Amino acid sequence: MTGRVIVITSGKGGVGKTTTSANIGTALAKSGSSVVLVDTDIGLRNLDLLLGLENRIVYTLVDVVEERCKLKQALVKDKKNPNLCLLAAAQTRDKSAVSAEQLKSICEQLQEDYDFVLVDCPAGIEEGFKTAISGATEAIVVTTPEMSAVRDADRIIGLLEAKEEIKSYKLLVNRVRPNMVQTNDMMSVEDVCDILSCDLIGVIPEDTGIITSTNRGEPIVNVEDSPAGQAYINVARRIKGEEVPFMDINQPTGFAAFIDKIKKIFGVKSKANPDKE
């Protein structure tokens, strides 16, 4: 049985696509699946940094295509999880260095040895996007609850629908802030789903721990008690076919949860629901 090739895309830059790729890949690997992450953002690679593997890159995707090394030589194993590998992008070239046919061929080779091939797609809808989706049969579209990001996601969904090889695509809504949703300063997840008419695979709450984990080269799924980490783990479980209920991201966590508990002990009524004891 050949592995599944899933492209992780967004259209808009800066919505957390690479963070999503690193965390879903790590979560799938932790669950026992063999995973390879393919960074197709040639010229602006970041996936190696998020995994803490930047000093281990010897060969890249471009080296494989130009036959300076074999595919297996370019794969870098994760420090902590032997089930996870990275095929890094080249920093010194541009997106034209790898064609759609070449990437498709690489994905076909990888899916013979791995359960999941996750392709981290560059931002935009130009040549890099068309190349990144060439070997995939599934897609995860990442957006944040902002109108500009949702509009770009809508454009991406249209392009995915036009590609026969993409059999299914799902939506992941990132950086959701429940307090802003409640005050109508941010679109709700339901609003985003209604606009995009797309099945939901994950809701990731805003989590300041992601900044720290990114700087350390440590995916947030490896950090205990992280709301975002747990949400990414749930996404990985859904990818594998499990029915996992969506987290209640309105529940306070950390210091906010502690304050909430103190209020309950002393019978302080919540501002959000003053009539409820």
Side-chain angles (χ1 to χ4, degrees):
M1 186 179 166
T2 54
R4 293 161 62 184
V5 183
I6 306 172
V7 64
I8 296 173
T9 182
S10 65
K12 189 176 188 297
V15 297
K17 179 170 35 59
T18 302
T19 300
T20 295
S21 300
N23 280 287
I24 291 177
T26 303
L28 285 168
K30 285 178 77 171
S31 73
S33 298
S34 57
V35 183
V36 60
L37 289 161
V38 182
D39 190 347
T40 61
D41 201 356
I42 299 167
L44 293 170
R45 78 175 188 218
N46 282 311
L47 199 44
D48 56 323
L49 286 170
L50 269 67
L51 295 167
L53 297 174
E54 65 275 12
N55 296 324
R56 297 196 179 186
I57 308 300
V58 178
Y59 296 111
T60 68
L61 176 61
V62 173
D63 291 320
V64 176
V65 164
E66 297 180 350
E67 298 182 349
R68 282 191 288 274
C69 71
K70 291 182 178 175
L71 178 55
K72 284 188 178 176
Q73 287 178 284
L75 297 176
V76 181
K77 276 204 168 169
D78 186 58
K79 292 174 185 176
K80 292 185 175 179
N81 200 318
N83 290 337
L84 182 64
C85 283
L86 169 69
L87 179 55
Q91 281 184 296
T92 55
R93 303 290 289 277
D94 61 32
K95 310 265 187 299
S96 63
V98 178
S99 71
E101 291 75 22
Q102 288 167 330
L103 186 68
K104 187 177 181 182
S105 172
I106 285 171
C107 287
E108 285 170 354
Q109 291 175 64
L110 289 170
Q111 69 182 133
E112 306 228 338
D113 297 321
Y114 292 88
D115 298 321
F116 292 95
V117 180
L118 301 185
V119 182
D120 183 26
C121 183
I125 56 170
E126 288 77 40
E127 191 176 358
F129 166 76
K130 290 168 187 170
T131 299
I133 66 170
S134 61
T137 55
E138 301 172 57
I140 292 174
V141 180
V142 182
T143 187
T144 52
E146 301 158 274
M147 209 58 230
S148 58
V150 171
R151 185 172 64 177
D152 286 0
D154 196 31
R155 178 88 171 100
I156 288 293
I157 288 168
L159 294 170
L160 293 172
E161 285 181 337
K163 185 171 165 55
E164 282 181 20
E165 292 82 357
I166 300 290
K167 305 300 180 195
S168 71
Y169 56 86
K170 299 280 176 67
L171 181 68
L172 184 144
V173 184
N174 195 20
R175 294 188 193 139
V176 178
R177 301 181 186 180
N179 58 329
M180 290 185 71
V181 173
Q182 286 167 5
T183 56
N184 292 322
D185 292 320
M186 177 177 272
M187 295 164 70
S188 71
V189 174
E190 290 77 13
D191 292 338
V192 176
C193 291
D194 285 347
I195 292 167
L196 297 177
S197 301
C198 185
D199 289 339
L200 191 65
I201 197 164
V203 178
I204 314 297
E206 181 74 51
D207 188 341
T208 52
I210 285 184
I211 299 166
T212 311
S213 71
T214 300
N215 290 337
R216 287 181 183 160
E218 180 79 42
I220 196 83
V221 293
N222 289 335
V223 179
E224 282 187 34
D225 301 325
S226 160
Q230 186 56 54
Y232 277 124
I233 289 167
N234 290 348
V235 171
R237 290 173 62 192
R238 291 185 195 108
I239 288 170
K240 293 182 80 169
E242 287 186 54
E243 287 192 19
V244 186
F246 288 94
M247 287 167 54
D248 182 4
I249 59 171
N250 294 309
Q251 288 291 332
T253 57
F255 184 70
F258 173 73
I259 294 296
D260 205 48
K261 205 170 182 181
I262 295 294
K263 283 181 178 177
K264 280 179 183 171
I265 290 167
F266 290 100
V268 177
K269 292 175 184 177
S270 165
K271 282 184 185 176
N273 202 348
D275 297 326
K276 197 170 180 180
E277 289 296 333

